[in-house]
Amino acid sequence: RENPDVIVNAAAYTAVDQAESELQLAAAVNEAGARNVAIATRAIRARMIHVSTDFVFDGEAAEAYAPDATTNPLSVYGRTKRDGELAVLGELPGAAVVLRTSWLYSKTGKNFVTTMLRLMEERDEISVVADQVGTPTWACSLAQAVWAFVDQPRLSGIYHWSDAGLCSWYEFALAIEGEARELGLLEKAARVRAISSAEYPAAARRPRFSVLDCASTEDALNLQPERWRFNLRAMLKELVH
């Protein structure tokens, strides 16, 4: 009915730990669902921009992952997202962009920042994993990249986009606490304690290092990402009333 020129697929099953016991549901959304959108896109001769994740990698690299780096997901979530990528590229050769991003957050919905703000209000101390490193990315930053791809119809294949820099989840939590207190979003200080992944048992394994190399995207779009902490503060300012 709408006959769009471009379809952006931002839908995903993202409950990383829950996916370990809901393989069929995760696959139905992340693989079959992505394939169905790609088939519909092909039927109307449109382009597709498909959002994917840093969790397609195993975290064993010593440098940022390039778009053509070998994938080796550690979890059901990562595997189903990787399979979704392959499905989209297979159905739409030359007409799809797979755009991987990392540690996505916004002022709405369930994400690391909103969860940390809630826990910091409720508790005097929280424990956060310090041995997993990646790059927080504001949803507005990702949206900017998506719209830039919309304006570049000749681009296809796999690309990466995240904010600039890197940190651990622990360092991210410290930044959230510091910025939120400075902006008056937290009434009291909350102690953030660093722990190892082994001390925080989870159903799904996560990559220890999942920083994405975004150089090819920056070149293709003539777009430079902001530092992750700058964007964190911008997002938190949206919560100030």
Side-chain angles (χ1 to χ4, degrees):
R1 186 187 69 224
E2 302 297 337
N3 197 32
D5 298 307
V6 184
I7 295 174
V8 179
N9 183 34
Y13 179 111
T14 59
V16 177
D17 290 317
Q18 197 171 330
E20 295 297 310
S21 58
E22 293 188 346
L23 168 60
Q24 290 183 329
L25 181 56
V29 178
N30 293 342
E31 180 186 359
R35 184 188 302 277
N36 289 339
V37 175
I39 290 170
T41 303
R42 187 182 65 206
I44 61 169
R45 297 184 180 180
R47 292 172 62 228
M48 180 173 171
I49 300 171
H50 176 68
V51 179
S52 194
T53 174
D54 57 326
F55 276 37
V56 299
F57 298 114
D58 60 15
E60 297 300 319
E63 59 186 12
Y65 283 96
D68 61 354
T70 302
T71 59
N72 186 31
L74 302 176
S75 63
V76 167
Y77 166 69
R79 288 198 300 274
T80 56
K81 287 296 292 180
R82 188 269 317 274
D83 293 345
E85 292 182 358
L86 296 174
V88 168
L89 294 171
E91 296 291 345
L92 289 167
V97 168
V98 168
L99 184 57
R100 296 182 184 134
T101 191
S102 62
W103 296 21
L104 201 61
Y105 67 90
S106 70
K107 69 176 181 179
T108 59
K110 185 179 180 182
N111 58 73
F112 187 78
V113 177
T114 56
T115 298
M116 285 295 105
L117 290 174
R118 176 177 57 81
L119 293 177
M120 287 168 183
E121 284 282 5
E122 296 173 353
R123 305 177 187 177
D124 294 325
E125 178 180 290
I126 56 174
S127 299
V128 182
V129 169
D131 57 1
Q132 295 172 18
V133 174
T135 304
T137 305
W138 188 21
C140 288
S141 171
L142 177 63
Q144 183 183 22
V146 168
W147 281 113
F149 273 110
V150 169
D151 289 335
Q152 296 287 344
R154 295 184 210 174
L155 297 178
S156 64
I158 300 173
Y159 290 86
H160 289 170
W161 185 261
S162 71
D163 289 339
L166 55 87
C167 65
S168 67
W169 289 112
Y170 168 69
E171 291 167 329
F172 190 18
L174 284 179
I176 294 166
E177 199 270 348
E179 296 286 357
R181 278 214 293 147
E182 189 173 322
L183 291 168
L185 292 170
L186 292 174
E187 295 182 358
K188 61 178 180 63
R191 180 169 177 255
V192 182
R193 186 170 70 92
I195 61 171
S196 67
S197 298
E199 294 176 88
Y200 187 81
R205 292 177 61 201
R206 289 160 168 80
R208 293 182 300 176
F209 178 87
S210 60
V211 177
L212 300 175
D213 183 341
C214 303
S216 61
T217 309
E218 294 171 26
D219 290 343
L221 302 179
N222 192 26
L223 194 63
Q224 292 294 315
E226 290 282 3
R227 298 289 299 180
W228 68 264
R229 184 144 186 167
F230 178 91
N231 276 349
L232 170 64
R233 186 172 182 84
M235 172 266 173
L236 291 173
K237 283 182 178 178
E238 292 186 343
L239 297 177
V240 178
H241 300 293

